[in-house]
Amino acid sequence: MSESVLLTWRSDRITIGWVWRGIQADIAQTARYSSAFSIGRLSLMRRVSFMFSPPILCSGTYRLSHWLYRRGLTLPARCLSWLNFVVHRADLSCAAEIGPGLYIPHTSGVIFRGRAGSNLTLLFRSAVVDDRINVHLERVERGCPRLGNGVTVGVFSVIKGAVTIGDGAFVGASSTVRTDLPANAAVIVGHLLARRPN
Amino acid sequence: MITWHETRARLRADRARLEAHSGAEGNRRLMWLQPSYQCVLLHRLSFYFHSRGNRLAGRALWHLNLLLTGCDIAPISDVGGGLIVQFPLATGLIGTVGRNCTIEGHCGIGGGTRRKGDIGAGPGLPIIGDDVVLGWGALVMGPIHVGHRVTIGHGAVVTSDVPDDTVVPDRGLALLHRRSGT
């Protein structure tokens, strides 16, 4: 795979405006995914309604804690991400770097340590973690996965170790990924459960 | 019945192993904020009170553990020192576990629904040896013995006895597709 798809989103300066723009991008992404319910354009009322739904509360809390972390306030950042953990049951490390457009439809059991580009989708009980049996607190640089833009991590799936996932990759349900994936790859695990009738 | 001395010794072993795995970059002052440490600490206290006969305190601490860390370690489960639960979220543990067990995350140790035989840990509960590593989403179910130094792979479902020094492979085969049209 070429090095160009390995480029992940990396922001050098995290400001409070980055938090706000990130939350707006998360709302837009959530609205895009739940377009089955939407009628017409994204009105202010729907926007506010999204803002108080668990996906946006969770990702917004993560963005605030990452902002605190990047300002050097490690203890408040960890307290905030721990509050996120207790309330939403999603373990998004305050040191993780996730681009705008994060979408977590069901926050329970989601674990994220690492770096990801924009438009990341984390489904129920997915885990993106480092390889070592390591309970370190802050650093995500070494040993953690790097995800490109537009990656979807499926239900019960695990991405583990210092791997690189290309742009637009799809990791299917209950799969374990411990190798690099090229761009637009799809990993599907499972057995043939149903056959088409003759 | 477990003594307070033994509980302290196990907690020391947990803490030492956790700090050894935290590496140089881990911030020791914030250890109490780690769910990995919280869940082990609360389970030790819960098991101590429960086995001493104070079942209310044991169950209250178990509830607190479930609330704070999402880790369901039952107060009856006897876990040896040096337990590491890397990500306690959605992890359940009922049974007897030896020393230096490592649980990665989303794991389950406990009884299945069919067999209720008692091999020493309780009706239908497993006994796990020392130095066992459970991968992500691994399940150990039923009244079975798992030996020492066993590594259980990602998502593996173990329902029969496992001898010592065994590696249980990961579940499933992965098919890699390249999406068409993009």
Side-chain angles (χ1 to χ4, degrees):
Chain A
M1 57 193 301
S2 66
E3 193 63 31
S4 62
V5 299
L6 307 188
L7 285 176
T8 53
W9 171 87
R10 166 88 188 186
S11 66
D12 295 313
R13 278 194 74 205
I14 301 287
T15 57
I16 195 72
W18 173 84
V19 174
W20 181 250
R21 285 194 299 277
I23 291 173
Q24 293 304 314
D26 296 346
I27 289 173
Q29 185 75 355
T30 307
R32 196 171 301 133
Y33 269 91
S34 56
S35 60
F37 300 106
S38 67
I39 305 158
R41 66 186 182 83
L42 189 59
S43 64
L44 180 67
M45 195 170 198
R46 259 178 80 71
R47 199 174 274 270
V48 171
S49 152
F50 273 132
M51 210 177 282
F52 289 98
S53 66
I56 303 301
L57 285 176
C58 180
S59 65
T61 316
Y62 153 72
R63 293 192 188 283
L64 268 178
S65 71
H66 185 56
W67 174 66
L68 287 170
Y69 173 75
R70 292 290 284 266
R71 285 179 66 95
L73 303 167
T74 310
L75 184 65
R78 278 204 58 82
C79 283
L80 199 58
S81 69
W82 183 69
L83 187 73
N84 200 2
F85 175 81
V86 170
V87 172
H88 295 118
R89 289 283 186 256
D91 191 358
L92 304 175
S93 167
C94 59
E97 297 177 4
I98 306 176
L102 171 63
Y103 175 52
I104 313 174
H106 307 287
T107 58
S108 173
V110 170
I111 297 173
F112 193 92
R113 306 280 158 103
R115 201 177 275 174
S118 58
N119 294 347
L120 173 68
T121 302
L122 295 171
L123 298 183
F124 176 70
R125 250 193 218 195
S126 56
V128 178
V129 290
D130 54 341
D131 201 2
R132 297 161 294 180
I133 295 169
N134 192 338
V135 276
H136 65 241
L137 291 169
E138 279 103 37
R139 301 290 178 81
V140 297
E141 282 82 8
R142 280 179 289 144
C144 284
R146 293 195 302 163
L147 276 59
N149 298 320
V151 174
T152 301
V153 187
V155 182
F156 293 107
S157 58
V158 179
I159 296 176
K160 191 182 173 196
V163 300
T164 305
I165 309 295
D167 292 349
F170 176 83
V171 178
S174 76
S175 53
T176 304
V177 174
R178 288 192 283 190
T179 53
D180 289 354
L181 287 184
N184 297 316
V187 174
I188 296 160
V189 170
H191 311 281
L192 193 60
L193 291 180
R195 281 179 188 278
R196 196 174 283 183
N198 290 322
Chain B
M1 194 169 75
I2 188 169
T3 60
W4 180 243
H5 187 74
E6 171 67 15
T7 305
R8 286 291 300 276
R10 286 182 181 183
L11 266 176
R12 265 198 300 278
D14 296 330
R15 176 114 190 176
R17 191 144 178 267
L18 199 64
E19 285 184 351
H21 280 94
S22 299
E25 62 247 38
N27 192 339
R28 302 278 163 81
R29 287 183 298 116
L30 304 183
M31 184 69 98
W32 60 272
L33 266 178
Q34 279 203 36
S36 308
Y37 186 63
Q38 287 168 353
C39 83
V40 173
L41 174 68
L42 286 170
H43 166 66
R44 297 288 179 215
L45 295 175
S46 158
F47 178 65
Y48 171 73
F49 283 119
H50 196 272
S51 68
R52 301 284 290 194
N54 192 347
R55 298 175 66 159
L56 180 67
R59 288 197 75 82
L61 284 163
W62 171 75
H63 271 287
L64 190 65
N65 198 356
L66 204 56
L67 185 73
L68 289 183
T69 68
C71 188
D72 181 5
I73 309 183
I76 58 164
S77 52
D78 186 2
V79 184
L83 171 69
I84 285 184
V85 185
Q86 196 183 0
F87 292 100
L89 197 60
T91 294
L93 198 162
I94 312 178
T96 301
V97 179
R99 284 180 287 111
N100 294 343
C101 179
T102 304
I103 295 174
E104 291 191 354
H106 293 172
C107 295
I109 299 170
T113 51
R114 296 284 176 83
R115 292 175 292 167
K116 291 293 176 192
D118 195 344
I119 55 168
L125 298 180
I127 294 180
I128 295 179
D130 299 342
D131 302 307
V132 172
V133 177
L134 271 87
W136 278 90
L139 298 174
V140 177
M141 299 191 297
I144 58 171
H145 283 281
V146 175
H148 304 306
R149 298 171 296 280
V150 171
T151 300
I152 298 174
H154 295 232
V157 180
V158 178
T159 52
S160 55
D161 286 2
V162 180
D164 291 354
D165 305 293
T166 313
V167 176
V168 180
D170 294 357
R171 174 188 59 188
L173 79 169
L175 303 172
L176 182 63
H177 292 274
R178 194 177 273 271
R179 277 180 181 171
S180 57
T182 49

